[in-house]
Amino acid sequence: MRARRSGSGRRWAAGAVCGVVAAFAGLAVAEPVAAVVRPEAFPVTAVGSAVVDLTPTAVREWAIAAFGTADKTVLTAGVVAALTAIAAGAGLLALRSLPAGIAVAGGFGLLGAAAALSRPAASWKDALPSLVGGLAAAGVLWVLITAATRPRPRGAPPGGAWAMDRRGFGRLVVGVLAAAGAAGLAGRRLGAHGSAGATASRADLVLPPPAVPAPPVPAGADLRVPGVGPFLTPARDFYRVDTALVVPRVDADTWRLSILGEGVPRPLTLGLRELLARPLVEHDITLTCVSNEVGGPYAGNARWLGVRLADLLREAGVRPPSRGGPADQLVARSVDGMTLGTPVETVMDGREALLAVGMNGEPLPFAHGFPVRMVVPGLYGYVSACKWLTELRLTTFAAYDAYWVRRSWAQRAPVKTQSRIDTPRSYAAVRPGRVAVAGVAWAQHRGIRRVEVRVDGGPWQEARLGAADGVDTWRQFVWPWEATAGPHTLEVRATDGTGAVQTGVRGGTVPDGATGWHAVQVRVTDPG
C-alpha cells in the first residue's frame, strides 16, 4: 500500500513537472518570435499589460505606493507565478485526459494572443508569439505526458512512478529544457540585435546647442543639507511611473512625429533631424506624478532641452480656444499606444512647454522617452509628460477621453502645492540639540514663496529657502530645530507664488492629486 501511494505521488509530481516544462518551452519558443514582431508582444508582457489596463485604479495606486518603481517587476513575477500554477495544473489534468491538458496549454496561448491584440498599437502580428508559444507548449506537453505514460516494457519491475523509466524521463526533460534554453537565448540575441539600431542612434546623437540656453542654477539653490537630494536630479535617480512593462527602444533615425487633427490647417510630419533644426530651448522644470502621495518620492527636477511646443503648433496653424481655435485638447500618443490629453490653452499660454530631446545635457534616456517626450511645467505627468512621443492630435475634451481619464482621473490636472520633509526621516532617532529639518517644496508655474515647519502642532516657523531657479522648479528649505528629548511630530507646509497656502486637508491621489501636510514622527533620545 505504501509503495502504491509513493508511486502515485511521484506520478502526480511528474505530471506537474511536465506542465511546467512545457510552459517554459512555450515561452522560450515565443521569445524569438516576439523579437521579430516586437518585444511588447511577448506573452508575459502582453498579459501583464492587459492586467494593468484592467486593474482598478485603487488597486494600482496601492501597488505604486507599496512597491514604488518595482511595481512592474512585481506584476511580471505575479504573471509568471500564475502561469506556473496553471501549467502545473495542465500537466496534472493531462494525466487524466491528455486532450484536456493540451487544450489548457493551447488555451493559454490564445489568452496571450487576445491580450496582445488588445493593446492600443497592436497589429495581427502581435498574436503570433503567443500562438506559436501555445502550440509549442501543447506539443511539448503531449511528448512528455506520452513518454511518461507509455506502457511498461515486458519484464520491467513493478511499482514505478510512471511507465517510462525515471532516467529516461529525466533525460527527456533535460533535453527539452536545453532546447528551450537555446531558443530563449536565440530570442534574447535577436532582440538585442533588433534594438541595436536604437542604441546606436542614441549613442551617435549629438544635441545642438540651445538657441535659448538656461541660465546657471543660482548659487544657493542647492542647500547641500545631508539627507536632501541634489537640486538637479540625475537621470538615473529620476522617478519613472508608467504602464510600459518593456521600455520602448525607438530608433531615432526612423522616428516620426505627426501633428494633425481638428483645427490643423497645415499638418506636419517631422523626423528628428527636422525637429533638431528648429531653435532649441533649455529650461529647468520639476515634474511630478499624480500618483505621488503626500511626502512621496515621485517628483524630480531636471534641465530639459527641446523645441517649444507652441511654436510647432502655430507652424501647423493651430489657434488656442481663446483665439477662436476649435480644439481644446491636445492628445499625445506614445509608440506603445498610451494617450495623454493636455489643454491646448495651457501649452500655448507662454510657458516653456517643450518637446524635449535632452535631459541634464544628454539625449533622453530610453526609460525617460528617447528620442522625444513632452514636458509641460505646471501639469501632472499624466496630462502632459508623454514619453516616446509619435503623434499630437488636436481634438476636444468632449470628443475624446485619454487613457487615464477613462480610469477615473480628471481631464485637467494642474500641479498642487506640495512640500516634503526629507530629513530627518520618519521614525528616525535623533539626538537633542540643533537638528536640520530640510526638504523640498514645489508649485510649478507658480513658484514657492515661503515654507514653514511646526513641531507637535505648535506655531509655524518660517524655514530658510534655497535660491529660486524660476517658477517651474522646486525649492529646497531648511529650518534649524532645537530638539528636546521625547517623541515629536514635525509638519511642513508651503505658500506658492500667488500667496495661496498649501491646504492641510488630507486627500488621496485620485482624481487629480493628493493634498495635505507632510508629517514625520521622530524620537529624540539623549545618549547619556
Side-chain angles (χ1 to χ4, degrees), residues 127-170:
L128 293 178
S130 293
L131 293 177
V132 172
L135 286 173
V140 170
L141 183 61
W142 179 84
V143 169
L144 292 177
I145 293 294
T146 298
T149 57
R150 183 179 302 149
R152 182 181 290 107
R154 182 176 300 178
W162 53 85
M164 187 180 187
D165 70 275
R166 285 195 289 270
R167 289 185 179 178
F169 182 79

Side-chain angles (χ1 to χ4, degrees), residues 125-453:
K125 295 179 182 178
D126 289 347
L128 293 178
S130 293
L131 293 177
V132 172
L135 286 173
V140 170
L141 183 61
W142 179 84
V143 169
L144 292 177
I145 293 294
T146 298
T149 57
R150 183 179 302 149
R152 182 181 290 107
R154 182 176 300 178
W162 53 85
M164 187 180 187
D165 70 275
R166 285 195 289 270
R167 289 185 179 178
F169 182 79
R171 287 194 293 269
L172 178 60
V173 168
V174 170
V176 169
L177 290 175
L185 181 61
R188 294 290 175 90
R189 290 183 173 178
L190 190 59
H193 178 75
S195 64
T199 302
S201 71
R202 183 181 182 277
D204 294 342
L205 180 62
V206 177
L207 297 175
V212 183
V217 174
D222 195 329
L223 296 176
R224 303 186 185 281
V225 177
V228 178
F231 180 76
L232 289 176
T233 309
R236 65 178 180 276
D237 298 328
F238 210 93
Y239 77 92
R240 178 192 163 212
V241 178
D242 53 51
T243 64
L245 298 186
V246 175
V247 173
R249 299 180 75 85
V250 182
D251 191 328
D253 296 329
T254 60
W255 174 84
R256 295 291 182 273
L257 171 68
S258 299
I259 302 177
L260 69 167
E262 190 173 350
V264 184
R266 298 184 294 276
L268 297 177
T269 299
L270 304 172
L272 187 60
R273 291 182 183 277
E274 296 166 290
L275 190 67
L276 294 178
R278 287 159 168 76
L280 298 181
V281 175
E282 196 175 49
H283 195 61
D284 296 342
I285 301 172
T286 297
L287 297 185
T288 311
C289 179
V290 74
S291 294
N292 198 45
E293 296 182 325
V294 172
Y298 303 130
N301 187 45
R303 175 157 290 191
W304 305 94
L305 176 71
V307 175
R308 285 191 176 115
L309 178 53
D311 290 348
L312 278 179
L313 294 179
R314 292 190 187 98
E315 186 178 335
V318 175
R319 290 173 294 133
S322 61
R323 298 190 178 183
D328 61 4
Q329 179 178 204
L330 178 66
V331 176
R333 184 176 296 273
S334 167
V335 296
D336 65 355
M338 171 59 67
T339 56
L340 307 181
T342 309
V344 174
E345 196 71 49
T346 299
V347 299
M348 300 187 75
D349 68 359
R351 72 185 70 198
E352 296 290 12
L354 302 177
L355 294 189
V357 295
M359 180 181 185
N360 293 338
E362 299 287 339
L364 292 171
F366 285 109
H368 292 290
F370 181 84
V372 179
R373 68 171 295 168
M374 274 178 59
V375 177
V376 182
L379 299 181
Y380 283 116
Y382 85 99
V383 293
S384 65
C386 186
K387 293 181 279 193
W388 315 294
L389 184 66
T390 188
E391 181 184 278
L392 293 171
R393 183 176 293 272
L394 279 292
T395 183
T396 64
F397 283 107
Y400 184 80
D401 286 338
Y403 181 91
W404 293 114
V405 176
R406 298 194 297 271
R407 289 159 177 81
S408 304
W409 296 91
Q411 286 185 328
R412 302 168 190 263
V415 171
K416 296 177 179 179
T417 302
Q418 281 290 329
S419 50
R420 184 184 72 204
I421 296 172
D422 288 336
T423 184
R425 298 289 185 181
S426 202
Y427 307 113
V430 299
R431 295 186 176 185
R434 179 159 291 191
V435 174
V437 180
V440 289
W442 58 85
Q444 293 93 310
H445 209 58
R446 300 186 303 278
I448 293 294
R449 179 182 298 181
R450 183 169 56 253
V451 172
E452 299 165 291
V453 178

